[in-house]
Amino acid sequence: MSGPDGTRRTRRATSAKLVVAGGFGVGKTTFVGEVSEIPPLRTEEHLTEAASDHDDVSQIDQKTSTTVAMDFGRITVTENMVLYLFGTPGQSRFAFMWDKICLGALGAVVLIDVRRFEDSFAAVDYFESRNIPFVIGINNFPDSPEIDVEDVREALGIDKSIPIVHMDATETEEVKSTLITLIDFLMARFSTPPQRPPRRKDLLKR
Amino acid sequence: MRFEDEAPVGNEVVRSFLVTGGKASTGRGGEEISLETLIAPTHLGRVERPELKFERGQILDLLGDAQEQGDEMSVAEVSAHLGLPMLSTITLVAQLVDDGLLDVESTTTTMDLDDLQLIRDAIAGLRGREK
């Protein structure tokens, strides 16, 4: 980065990003806010006409919804490296902006509310198809039913190599632990380059 | 058609395609501009900046201020601080890079095991934000 006097650093900085995806109200912003060094910032995008053609409005009350908000935070890793965490709306009607948000991401956390599994299908499909590594975080709400991670794995139809953890997005330590699970997963891929996970079965197609 | 009926008053109702001058693509420099890309004014953008209107001028002003404070700023932060749609912001930043007014300050391509270890250490050392 160049300073006010025009001098330039010799090394170019590195910026990286992780994506936190999931359905509406699953805890993305809370998750990001727990570990961000700045209060989460909000950026917005408008649903375009083209996107509306593919918009499944059957399950939302607000048919004229035209703006989608995305919250993000940042973590300074070193003087030369900054990590951004983007909370990404996981519904398929926002797919038109996923590439811009997600391509180049180191990896993703897909947050799941076990009471609404279906809200996470699109995000899982997307990361699988783009070969973006991800882990699953089951966000435990006070009234969430108890559920075994293997049942979640079966419900989502994801490969056994993909980590699934129970966590609470309101607890800083648990958010950190979830992110570390993701980073460990990424690091493990360096030593054992993974085979592309099998595509999800047709039975999960809606 | 009566444009004044639809005419925007503030940024929040400016349609994305108007903000970007009707351009849908991100231009020549656009390929390397992502939300997390760090950007800063060039010497041209800082000292000899031409009169830029509206959003382009706001972007240069914001990034100029950040630069004076020694703060790094990403495309996403520009979008958030100015209330501009994120995809439009990427396009506008790409144009400003093409015009030689902004520099791309970060790379997003290389990430090796050592980098991941640094990230892991940073996350492990977080104490959470003051609430």
Side-chain angles (χ1 to χ4, degrees), chain A residues 21 44 108 188:
Chain A
E44 296 187 338

Side-chain angles (χ1 to χ4, degrees), chain A residues 1 43 45 84 176 184, chain B residues 77 79 87 105-106 120 126:
Chain A
M1 181 166 188
T43 173
E45 194 50 76
Y84 286 90
K176 285 166 57 177
D184 285 344
Chain B
E77 284 161 303
S79 167
L87 300 183
E105 295 286 314
S106 67
R120 194 187 190 286
L126 287 173

Side-chain angles (χ1 to χ4, degrees), chain B:
Chain B
M1 189 181 295
R2 295 188 53 196
F3 281 106
E4 56 270 30
D5 287 347
E6 309 164 44
V9 178
N11 283 336
E12 65 276 7
V13 289
V14 177
R15 296 291 183 84
S16 305
F17 72 91
L18 290 177
V19 173
T20 55
K23 284 182 70 175
S25 69
T26 50
R28 272 181 300 139
E31 285 310 305
E32 59 180 309
I33 308 294
S34 304
L35 286 173
E36 73 275 23
T37 303
L38 302 176
I39 42 178
T42 59
H43 182 76
L44 184 68
R46 190 169 56 247
V47 179
E48 304 166 25
R49 61 168 279 194
E51 273 305 310
L52 290 178
K53 287 181 181 167
F54 308 118
E55 288 78 10
R56 286 157 59 87
Q58 289 177 2
I59 290 173
L60 272 192
D61 287 344
L62 178 69
L63 288 168
D65 289 346
Q67 193 175 44
E68 280 180 24
Q69 311 276 330
D71 292 337
E72 294 169 318
M73 195 170 276
S74 65
V75 176
E77 284 161 303
V78 170
S79 167
H81 286 303
L82 295 181
L84 292 170
M86 64 185 99
L87 300 183
S88 305
T89 309
I90 290 174
T91 305
L92 289 165
V93 165
Q95 290 172 351
L96 289 166
V97 171
D98 283 346
D99 293 345
L101 299 172
L102 289 182
D103 259 339
V104 174
E105 295 286 314
S106 67
T107 176
T108 57
T109 49
T110 53
M111 190 60 58
D112 58 22
L113 212 45
D114 290 340
D115 291 327
L116 289 173
Q117 185 64 50
L118 289 172
I119 290 173
R120 194 187 190 286
D121 293 345
I123 292 169
L126 287 173
R127 283 182 300 176
R129 188 167 54 85
E130 296 285 328
K131 295 194 186 75

Side-chain angles (χ1 to χ4, degrees), chain A residues 149-168:
Chain A
V149 293
E150 292 312 314
D151 292 335
V152 173
R153 187 182 304 285
E154 189 175 337
L156 291 172
I158 58 171
D159 190 76
K160 63 181 185 301
S161 64
I162 294 172
I164 302 177
V165 297
H166 282 285
M167 50 88 57
D168 179 346

